[in-house]
Amino acid sequence: KLTYETTQTWIVVTLVGAAIGLNSALIAIVTDWLSDIKLGYCSEAWWLNQKFCCWEIEARDGSCENWIHWSQALHMGPDVFVVKWIFYVFWATLFATTCAYLVKVFAPYAAGSGISEIKCILAGFVMRGFLGSWTLMMKSVGLTMAVASNLSIGKEGPSVHMACCVGNVISRCFQKFRTSKAEMREILTASSAAGVAVAFGSPIGGVLFALEEMSSTFPNRTMWKSFFCAMIATMVLQAMNPFRTGKLVMFQVSYDREWHFFEYLFVVVIGIFGGLYGALVIKFNLIVAQLRKRYLKNYGVSEAAALAFFTALIAYPNVFMRIDMTEIMGILFRECEGAQGENYYGLCETNGVGRLVVLLLVATVLRTIGTIVTYGCRVPCGIFVPSMAIGATFGRMIGLLVKAWQVSNPDFFLFASCNPDMPCITPGTYAFLGAAAALCGVMRITVSVVVIMFELTGQITYILPTMIALMITRAVGDWFGADGIADRYIRLNGYPFLDKEDHVFGVPVSHVMQSEMTVMTATGMKFKEIDEILRNTNFQGFPVVQDNKSMAFIGYIGRSELRYLLDKARSVYKAHDTTGVRFSPDTNEDPEVLTSTSDVDHVIPGSSDFLDFGPYVDQTPITVHPKLYLETVMDMFKQLGPRVVLLEQGGKLVGLVTIKDVLRYMARIETSNTTDEAIDDME
Amino acid sequence: KLTYETTQTWIVVTLVGAAIGLNSALIAIVTDWLSDIKLGYCSEAWWLNQKFCCWEIEARDGSCENWIHWSQALHMGPDVFVVKWIFYVFWATLFATTCAYLVKVFAPYAAGSGISEIKCILAGFVMRGFLGSWTLMMKSVGLTMAVASNLSIGKEGPSVHMACCVGNVISRCFQKFRTSKAEMREILTASSAAGVAVAFGSPIGGVLFALEEMSSTFPNRTMWKSFFCAMIATMVLQAMNPFRTGKLVMFQVSYDREWHFFEYLFVVVIGIFGGLYGALVIKFNLIVAQLRKRYLKNYGVSEAAALAFFTALIAYPNVFMRIDMTEIMGILFRECEGAQGENYYGLCETNGVGRLVVLLLVATVLRTIGTIVTYGCRVPCGIFVPSMAIGATFGRMIGLLVKAWQVSNPDFFLFASCNPDMPCITPGTYAFLGAAAALCGVMRITVSVVVIMFELTGQITYILPTMIALMITRAVGDWFGADGIADRYIRLNGYPFLDKEDHVFGVPVSHVMQSEMTVMTATGMKFKEIDEILRNTNFQGFPVVQDNKSMAFIGYIGRSELRYLLDKARSVYKAHDTTGVRFSPDTNEDPEVLTSTSDVDHVIPGSSDFLDFGPYVDQTPITVHPKLYLETVMDMFKQLGPRVVLLEQGGKLVGLVTIKDVLRYMARIETSNTTDEAIDDME
């Protein structure tokens, strides 16, 4: 039962998973180091970040002699705020500029998140080079710098893109995956799961993300491979142990307090915030994206430099924006009591709440603006982590307010269920909920967010509040439009992609069909004629009919097959312009197995006067009746994945439909941003 | 955007979820009470179980005066082993017999697990009464008794079945769900998610179970409803708080020890055990099921009585088998240290390991045999909990052995990474892994098992060992056959269900088609003729062709539509045996909207001489070319859900294919237990 084929697949999945884990660990280490370079350097060994430089030699007061702040390096003392600020801004701008330059010169596809494009690729769209090794390399290098520059971007979208590049690069070395699109799609789906898994240390969350967001069909077989790939990647990442914590869970917390019934009120507030945040970011970020497309197409590097400069300038004075977003999330999630409690910047003190609330509010607002203008710029950038960080600052703010309220009015009726001798509110849990809600608001995924959050923090006690917050976020978000940001980018860029939502149009497919088609006729065509059709059109294939009058349907022939046959006819069979070409239907009972035209040397039957391309005609393309509902045809596109559906009535070809036709129709009836030109631009 | 339609759906989902949560809470309370009745009764109030009877009045030594053991009731002293044993066996047998009797008399469908049948129903199969209110009531009442009788059965399969009954009963009150199969299917999928959610207190696990095991298509819309339904059900369950713990997490543990690298060795052992256990149980349980079908068909009550009698007789002397399986799992999962540590029956002591290992091994073996002979008998019964309990006893045994080994040989090279001053092995985690592996082995689900286990125990630290154990279990299990027990029962019972696995046959669909069909012709049929066809055949519908010679394809008409039309023709239009009937193709451009024949009063065009059923012919059934690969047609069945696929070539009908034809072909080419007769038995 263990055939060579299956073994090969599992070996490839293992290799891909291991490579993804390795890549992710390396990026984590380099990012950490670059991030710290903004603040200072290690005098013992310049290649160490602050943590490793000061590993176990930290003095009592938290300082460490080996780590030299830039103000010290200039002999101006260890704590000159302005000098530190200037250096911070300088390094940030330098990193972002270098990154944007590298991306522009070596791999333009490495810019952006990549999730939208991979969704389209998994749905069958072809983008050459998008998953190539150059893209992989530049995205990896660029990502370290982009994250270190403290731009308002995250690493999980790029992590998915890089994982898919790894999957593509490795599996292309094997014949089986080169020739089978279905196999390749499975590997890419599994890779995307592993990409999220390593970004968050969340193997199951990764699988669910691939299921909920990436792939429109997800058979058990694919789930199984995604599970395995995510597991291997996570194992390798943990074995590499880039953070030297020995733990997979990134933000270990141990919430042990009961959730009170009155707190559901604030869950609702946080849920509404998540929905509004998502709607706001989606709306304005898309406007920014359109402006960027129109005016900043050739100024990617300067744009990134300017963004990094201003972000760093504004971020440094606010403690909640200065350090890495991942780090700040960990701090905000933490509870104040217990062994792991930490009083970062007075977050746990009971006085000074006002100042903290203002700082957190400012951080929320500024980071939101930063995310709106930054996401989509010409460096590798994701939107998960910024969204979660924004949600966490907002949630912690709410938590602090509720806590302050409860402490000052313990007898208020809402707080009756609080035990008077013990702290009642854990602000960290509000930050946790806020992060989940903001992520759900912007991506419109739910189940995977729940699991990712639990795997991130290692605790599962607050599952019901989390689910309720996400329900509300989703409901509020859907009020403003059902699609997440990835789907909106797909439409903005005009990729031919049918989203997972079900539409009800109530019209027959004949409403959207093309009835003017370029067809091949079974007899009477000349070599030259076909050659000219291929030159003058860019259709992916052509229906074959008996003759132009009867339109009796015979089959379908793809452009690439036809091109190959013509070239071969000319070189081997000495065909000339006036040679006749027939597409005689094959009467053989068994279907042709024509997987690829390139690997076998086919014989074209015929004589010196005419050639017969009949055996190469696909006699069983998907055909439907023109009165079939458009919805059913859309299901066929999504579930069965054909490029074209032919409309046949009583043996007569009456039209054809492609995904583009469907999208064009949808754009016409919906008030949509997708213009007809955008769709016509598609490949 | 909030239409009446959507609001209605959400109201129904909320109602269904709430009812499922309520039902589950009631069952939990009654089961607890019945379970304790086997041991004694409450002198203060006979309707209280031991825990509530002794609530906060327990004496220092753990005894409680209000709770009267049966030996006490007979004035023979509180601790006469034999009397207690006899009462235990008596009550267990009584419960099982009553349960089997009720099921037999009132609702035969309430027997068994129900998961296999619901999978088929979700795939489009119709079983009248299977989801009715009688089934719901009897399954609820029966389940409490069956579980209390200490048979080797669980409550999660029945919980899914009851949840679907609730979903069906409630949603049938609304017009929209009565008429739309797709809407109904969504509600049932969401209900099944809620069923697992309440059985394990695991909302996300429930959603994933519905996705991985129950449904073959799972669009985001369905996931979203399942998420909501599971959430509501869990909230209601928690609000009812049947266990008075205030927690959703059933087996709270707080494993805080690092996992050592050498322990992966034992993870592999546990994984292999899971795979072997699953293969063994599936194999022998199916043999038992066949024997039961052949010899015990009419002896369901006696069988259940005998099983309960022997199970109770054997179980009582073994402490790990005497008490409820859910309870024992909680005990086995627990770590020995910390506040929640508990030294049940000396499980945490370092001496006496030998005796414990023997007891656990005996429990593992006996419970496995019990599960093999019991699962599938004529009471409501699931296989999740018994499998998990078996895995937990085995895992704890391994854990105890490893711990004893480590304690006696701390210098052995394997244990080098152990800290010498601290306990190194947590046997509870091995029990946890064992439970996960056994569940995966028997059901062949992975992702949902991981999530269910984490939601059950509230800890997520050991995610990688769990995933590895499940990988190995699955690989070992697949070696013996890829299907889980639910799929095997489907095949055993001969339900028309295409499993999710992909098959490659490499034959055109014409190999499996029926070319001899009963067709309707457009002209020339008489009323009597059609009536006789309906009487003498049991096809679900008939293709309509121009005439028997040309076989020019026109459409398809369902049996129920035809029946309705004939009845109406006779009553309203005074049709008689010789009235002509035509099926003239409709030339109207817009497709007919014919959702249901029952709610609108249709008009049949025609004259007194002939009637025209043409407008009621479905002109757009799914048709394919006879040379299309069988695999693609199977995909169509699975993804698009038609009852029949028609084969058309050049406008001519050449055959038709149903799921049965495909299954018959598969049975012929595979070495399979499904016989042709079994398939012919299908409705």
Side-chain angles (χ1 to χ4, degrees), chain A residues 354-365:
Chain A
R355 191 181 48 90
L356 280 175
V357 166
V358 170
L359 273 181
L360 286 170
L361 185 63
V362 168
T364 307
V365 172

Side-chain angles (χ1 to χ4, degrees), chain A residues 1-2 10 203-204 207-208 211-212 217 219-221 223-224 227-228 230-231 234-235 238 246-249 258 264 446-447 450-451 454-455 458-461 463-464 467-468 470-471 474-475 478-481 500-502 507-508 510-511 586-593 619-620 622-623 625 627-629 632 635-636 639-640 648-651, chain B residues 1-2 10 203-204 207-208 211-212 217 219-221 223-224 227-228 230-231 234-235 238 246-249 258 264 446-447 450-451 454-455 458-461 463-464 467-468 470-471 474-475 478-481 500-502 507-508 510-511 586-593 619-620 622-623 625 627-629 632 635-636 639-640 648-651:
Chain A
K1 298 173 191 178
L2 265 179
W10 290 108
I204 300 290
V207 174
L208 293 180
L211 160 73
E212 202 176 351
T217 54
N220 269 6
R221 195 169 25 94
M223 183 189 270
W224 188 210
F227 183 84
F228 187 71
M231 185 186 87
T234 324
M235 278 174 71
Q238 199 185 17
K247 284 199 176 156
L248 196 57
V249 174
E258 295 284 309
Y264 281 113
T446 45
V447 180
V450 177
V451 176
F454 290 137
E455 289 185 308
Q459 72 89 30
I460 213 159
T461 326
I463 191 156
L464 277 183
M467 288 176 82
I468 293 167
L470 296 187
M471 282 293 313
R474 178 84 191 241
D478 280 359
W479 190 265
F480 293 96
K500 277 178 160 188
E501 298 302 316
D502 283 325
V507 298
S510 56
H511 273 208
D586 182 23
T587 49
N588 185 4
E589 177 57 26
D590 282 321
E592 279 298 312
V593 181
Q619 294 184 54
T620 63
I622 294 191
T623 58
H625 193 281
K627 283 192 184 172
L628 193 62
Y629 280 111
T632 315
D635 275 348
M636 287 182 165
Q639 306 289 357
L640 308 174
E648 185 191 358
Q649 188 169 22
Chain B
K1 298 172 191 176
L2 265 181
W10 290 108
I204 300 290
V207 174
L208 293 181
L211 161 74
E212 202 176 352
T217 53
N220 269 6
R221 194 167 27 92
M223 183 188 269
W224 189 209
F227 183 85
F228 187 70
M231 187 186 86
T234 324
M235 277 174 72
Q238 200 185 16
K247 283 197 176 157
L248 196 58
V249 175
E258 295 285 308
Y264 281 112
T446 45
V447 180
V450 177
V451 176
F454 290 139
E455 289 185 306
Q459 70 90 31
I460 212 160
T461 328
I463 191 157
L464 277 183
M467 289 176 83
I468 293 167
L470 295 188
M471 283 294 312
R474 177 86 191 239
D478 281 357
W479 189 266
F480 293 96
K500 276 179 159 186
E501 298 300 317
D502 284 325
V507 299
S510 55
H511 272 208
D586 181 25
T587 48
N588 185 4
E589 177 56 26
D590 281 321
E592 279 299 310
V593 181
Q619 293 184 53
T620 61
I622 294 191
T623 58
H625 193 282
K627 283 191 183 172
L628 192 63
Y629 280 110
T632 314
D635 275 347
M636 287 182 166
Q639 307 288 356
L640 308 174
E648 185 192 359
Q649 187 169 24

Side-chain angles (χ1 to χ4, degrees), chain A residues 90-249:
Chain A
F90 165 73
W91 284 111
T93 315
L94 182 68
F95 291 151
T97 318
T98 319
C99 168
Y101 181 77
L102 286 177
V103 164
K104 186 177 178 179
V105 173
F106 294 105
Y109 275 145
S113 143
I115 287 188
S116 309
E117 287 82 2
I118 290 165
K119 279 183 84 163
C120 296
I121 289 172
L122 289 176
F125 184 53
V126 178
M127 284 176 95
R128 277 189 211 296
F130 191 79
L131 299 176
S133 40
W134 267 108
T135 311
L136 171 61
M137 218 179 304
M138 281 307 119
K139 196 131 195 172
S140 306
V141 173
L143 182 63
T144 58
M145 292 194 267
V147 171
S149 75
N150 204 31
L151 277 170
S152 204
I153 58 167
K155 65 172 187 174
E156 66 322 296
S159 174
V160 171
H161 185 179
M162 289 185 298
C164 288
C165 290
V166 170
N168 180 52
V169 167
I170 291 182
S171 59
R172 263 210 317 231
C173 305
F174 297 83
Q175 162 84 31
K176 180 180 164 193
F177 297 96
R178 261 204 311 278
T179 51
S180 163
K181 277 195 177 172
E183 295 276 352
M184 186 54 118
R185 201 175 302 166
E186 279 205 325
I187 291 287
L188 291 183
T189 310
S191 305
S192 68
V196 174
V198 292
F200 291 120
S202 158
I204 300 290
V207 174
L208 293 180
F209 178 81
L211 160 73
E212 202 176 351
E213 176 72 17
M214 301 308 291
S215 185
S216 52
T217 54
F218 204 79
N220 269 6
R221 195 169 25 94
T222 313
M223 183 189 270
W224 188 210
K225 276 175 199 154
S226 306
F227 183 84
F228 187 71
C229 194
M231 185 186 87
I232 298 285
T234 324
M235 278 174 71
V236 170
L237 178 65
Q238 199 185 17
M240 296 276 296
N241 201 356
F243 304 113
R244 291 282 171 264
T245 57
K247 284 199 176 156
L248 196 57
V249 174

